[in-house]
Amino acid sequence: MPHIFCIANQKGGVGKTTTTVNLAAGLAQVGQRVLIVDLDPQGNATMGSGVDKRTLANTVYDVLLEDVTIAEARQRSPKGGYDVLGANRDLAGAEIELVPLERRDRRLKTALEAVAAEYDFVLIDCPPSLSLLTLNGLTCAHGVIVPMQCEYFALEGLTDLVNTVKQVHANLNRDLQLIGLLRVMYDPRITLQQQVSDQLKAHFGDKVFNTVIPRNVRLAEAPSYGVPGVVFDPSSKGAQAFVAFAQEVVERVANKSLV
Ligand code: ADP
Ligand code: MG
């Protein structure tokens, strides 16, 4: 069984996709077999992996509607070293089309079971909402990784997300845990960020990953080349931080302090 993690935060622009793509590439570099599931109709994880969302014959949308299997719809990231189940605008319609269907919140789970033996990690890039799409992700995941910027309002949004994870745990998926909070786009020179970071550690303890991802322009440039930052400029501070994060995830999984 692979470790299945949702990268989630209901806020947009907080670094979910950057975390998904670079964690996948970092894990691939240390020999892990990885599948990214892009659950965001914006398709940023798909494009950022070098897979053109506009020309895809089949996407996660077709998988959720049970027209094709993951094995038929997945693509290989040309430079990332992992597989991608892509998304595009079609997925926006799934939100409504899934509502009358049976097992509407467990369709991704069923589809993943067929390819489970082929992967060590499945990383699900969630949309910026707590919607039926995110619910499909949370229902099949073992854990949630929450990228966050150390700003005042970040803490406020966290309460809603933690409550959602608790509800899904109680009602739909006993395996689901909040695995960790990843501090991203971090600038240690900003006093408020230090303060919020300290508050996070005081409140969430071990749930805060040791690795901190700095604000780094190379990470922001990489998606326009369709290459994960980790591969685009391996010597950059951002790439090095994501490689360290991938190692921390592998260590935590091995020590069972995670999952
Ligand atoms: P989300 O998926 O949560 O909407 P993204 O990963 O797309 O967030 O990130 C939002 C924007 O911030 C993107 O333009 C991305 O390139 C940029 N970004 C993300 N992480 C970093 C970072 N560590 N340093 C600099 N820019 C970043
Ligand atoms: Mg995104």
Side-chain angles (χ1 to χ4, degrees), residues 34-105:
V34 185
L35 172 69
I36 286 183
V37 177
D38 191 349
L39 264 191
D40 187 340
Q42 294 180 87
N44 293 344
T46 305
M47 295 296 276
S49 298
V51 174
D52 191 344
K53 65 181 178 183
R54 295 160 300 196
T55 57
L56 282 177
N58 291 304
T59 66
V60 67
Y61 168 80
D62 304 282
V63 170
L64 288 171
L65 292 185
E66 297 182 340
D67 290 334
V68 297
T69 62
I70 292 179
E72 290 165 320
R74 69 187 163 194
Q75 305 284 320
R76 187 76 180 163
S77 166
K79 297 274 172 60
Y82 54 82
D83 289 344
V84 184
L85 177 56
N88 57 28
R89 291 177 53 133
D90 290 348
L91 188 58
E95 194 69 63
I96 295 159
E97 288 164 51
L98 279 172
V99 170
L101 304 181
E102 54 181 315
R103 300 176 296 100
R104 62 185 180 199
D105 51 7

Side-chain angles (χ1 to χ4, degrees), residues 125-141:
D125 189 26
C126 289
S129 62
L130 298 172
S131 61
L132 193 51
L133 288 174
T134 301
L135 205 57
N136 259 278
L138 293 176
T139 303
C140 60

